[in-house]
Amino acid sequence: MPITKRANGHYQVTVGHGGRTHRKTSRHWSFKDAKEYERRYISALKDIAAGREPERVIADAVERWLTDHVPRLRSATKTKAHVRALLPYIAGRKLGEIAQVWAEVKAAEIGKAPATVNHKGRILRQISRMAWREWGWLERPAAIGLLPEKPRETFLTLDQVEALARACPNAAVGDYVRLAAYTGIRRGHLLRLTAHDVRGGFIHLDRTSKTRTLQLVPLHPKVAGIAARLPLGASDDQVRDSWAKAREACGLQHVRWHDLRHTCASWLVQAGVPLHTVSEVLGHSSMAMTRRYAHLSPEHLSDAIRKMA
C-alpha cells in the first residue's frame, strides 16, 4: 500500500519507480496531506520522464527549507509552529503563487496582531528568496510586504519596577524581577543561574545562552546581594503566577516579563552609556538590535555635531 500509518501515528508515502523505492514520512501530515504528496511526487516523476520541468508547489519549498535551513536556527521550535499555522494557506498552491497566498493570509487574519500575521509573511518571503537565489526554482522572488508593527517595548521607571517586585506574592520572584531589571538577563537564563555563576562582581552566563557565547554581566550594588543567593527557589510556574498577580495589583497588565530586559537597556542608554557597551551588557548578536534604543538618548547626536571642526 503506497500510504501507510506507522506505529508512531505518522503517515508514510511509498512510491516505487524504475526499480527504486522512495519513502517519505512526516509527523505533520494528515492522510489527505500524504495523499497530496504522493500525487505531486508521481506527477514530478512523469514530468521528468517527459523532459518537462516538474511543477513546484509552495509545500515543496517549505519542506526543503525546514530540512536545509530551519535546524540551524536557535528558534527552530517556534519557527516550526509558525509553519504549521501556515499550512492551510499553502495546500496545493504553486510556488509562483506566493504573493497571492500572502495577500490571502492578510485578508483572512484581519484583526490579529500584525506581528502574528507577519510570522507567516517572513516564512513566505524567505522560502521565495531561497527558491530564487539558491535552488533555481523561481525566476524572481515574490514581493512580500510585511504589515507595519507597533513597537511592543515598554520601559519602566525605577518606582514601577520596585512596585512590581513588592507586589509579587512570592518574595523570591520579586527578587528575580529586580535582578532582571538591573541585569537585562532573560527569564529562562535567570532561573538557571546559581551562586557559582557570580564571581568578581559579574554574572557569568555560560554558552547555553541565546547568543551561545560567554557573556559577563556586571552587577549593580542594589542586586549584588540577590545574586549571591542564587538560585532563589522559585520555579518557572511560580514566577509566571506571581508575575501575573503583581501586574494586576499594579495596574500594569500590558507589561511583559521581557520588558524588564528592555527597561535595563533604556536605563543604560538614558544614563549615557554608549550603545556598543549596552550591546555587550545585553549580549546582543548585532548592533541593529541595540539601535532601537538610540532614540532614548539623542544627546549623542548633538555631541557628534559639536565635535566637528
Side-chain angles (χ1 to χ4, degrees):
M1 186 175 180
I3 299 178
T4 55
K5 193 171 186 179
R6 304 177 66 179
N8 58 10
H10 302 167
Y11 284 99
Q12 176 176 281
V13 174
T14 303
V15 178
H17 178 75
R20 302 181 66 179
T21 301
H22 171 80
R23 292 185 177 88
K24 177 66 179 178
T25 304
S26 174
R27 65 187 181 89
H28 303 301
W29 280 345
S30 63
F31 178 81
K32 182 179 179 181
D33 296 328
K35 194 70 178 175
E36 175 61 18
Y37 177 85
E38 177 194 38
R39 184 197 67 76
R40 288 191 285 105
Y41 188 80
I42 293 174
S43 177
L45 290 176
K46 291 179 179 178
D47 285 339
I48 293 172
R52 299 188 299 266
E53 281 292 321
E55 179 186 53
R56 302 289 186 182
V57 293
I58 299 174
D60 292 333
V62 169
E63 184 176 351
R64 181 164 179 176
W65 180 67
L66 285 171
T67 302
D68 296 351
H69 178 68
V70 172
R72 299 196 299 270
L73 300 178
R74 300 185 190 114
S75 57
T77 301
K78 288 185 178 180
T79 300
K80 290 176 181 177
H82 296 319
V83 168
R84 286 194 291 273
L86 180 63
L87 291 179
Y89 294 101
I90 65 174
R93 303 299 292 273
K94 296 178 182 179
L95 194 54
E97 297 180 286
I98 285 183
Q100 183 180 342
V101 169
W102 173 232
E104 293 170 4
V105 169
K106 290 187 291 185
E109 302 198 358
I110 289 178
K112 291 187 178 180
T116 300
V117 182
N118 281 343
H119 286 310
K120 300 178 182 67
R122 289 188 179 94
I123 292 171
L124 291 171
R125 183 169 63 182
Q126 189 159 6
I127 64 173
S128 173
R129 288 176 177 175
M130 295 188 77
W132 163 64
R133 184 173 55 237
E134 299 185 20
W135 309 331
W137 291 1
L138 286 174
E139 293 184 2
R140 63 179 64 84
I144 303 292
L146 300 179
L147 298 174
E149 298 181 23
K150 294 180 180 179
R152 296 180 62 190
E153 295 90 350
T154 296
F155 306 119
L156 302 171
T157 64
L158 288 167
D159 289 342
Q160 286 175 321
V161 169
E162 187 58 31
L164 284 165
R166 289 179 178 175
C168 289
N170 186 320
V173 178
D175 281 341
Y176 271 129
V177 169
R178 296 181 181 96
L179 199 57
Y182 279 92
T183 64
I185 297 174
R186 299 174 178 88
R187 181 178 62 200
H189 213 131
L190 272 180
L191 298 181
R192 295 198 298 269
L193 292 175
T194 68
H196 175 73
D197 299 310
V198 183
R199 301 188 297 277
F202 290 86
I203 290 179
H204 295 239
L205 297 186
D206 62 30
R207 297 181 186 275
T208 60
S209 66
K210 189 173 181 181
T211 55
R212 298 183 182 177
T213 58
L214 181 62
Q215 182 185 345
L216 299 180
V217 181
L219 280 168
H220 191 283
K222 287 187 177 181
V223 294
I226 297 174
R229 294 186 280 108
L230 289 168
L232 302 181
S235 68
D236 185 61
D237 286 342
Q238 290 173 324
V239 169
R240 291 175 184 273
D241 180 65
S242 201
W243 173 246
K245 291 176 180 177
R247 291 187 304 165
E248 182 74 26
C250 295
L252 296 171
Q253 294 91 332
H254 65 287
V255 176
R256 304 165 301 155
W257 184 277
H258 199 72
D259 288 324
L260 295 170
R261 178 170 167 84
H262 295 314
T263 293
C264 178
S266 72
W267 289 353
L268 290 170
V269 172
Q270 291 176 61
V273 177
L275 288 180
H276 66 84
T277 303
V278 175
S279 180
E280 289 183 39
V281 171
L282 295 183
H284 284 161
S285 57
S286 71
M287 278 298 298
M289 299 178 68
T290 315
R291 290 193 190 100
R292 59 182 164 172
Y293 305 111
H295 69 282
L296 298 173
S297 182
E299 290 80 8
H300 71 283
L301 300 176
S302 299
D303 291 342
I305 292 296
R306 285 194 292 268
K307 290 178 182 178
M308 294 174 63

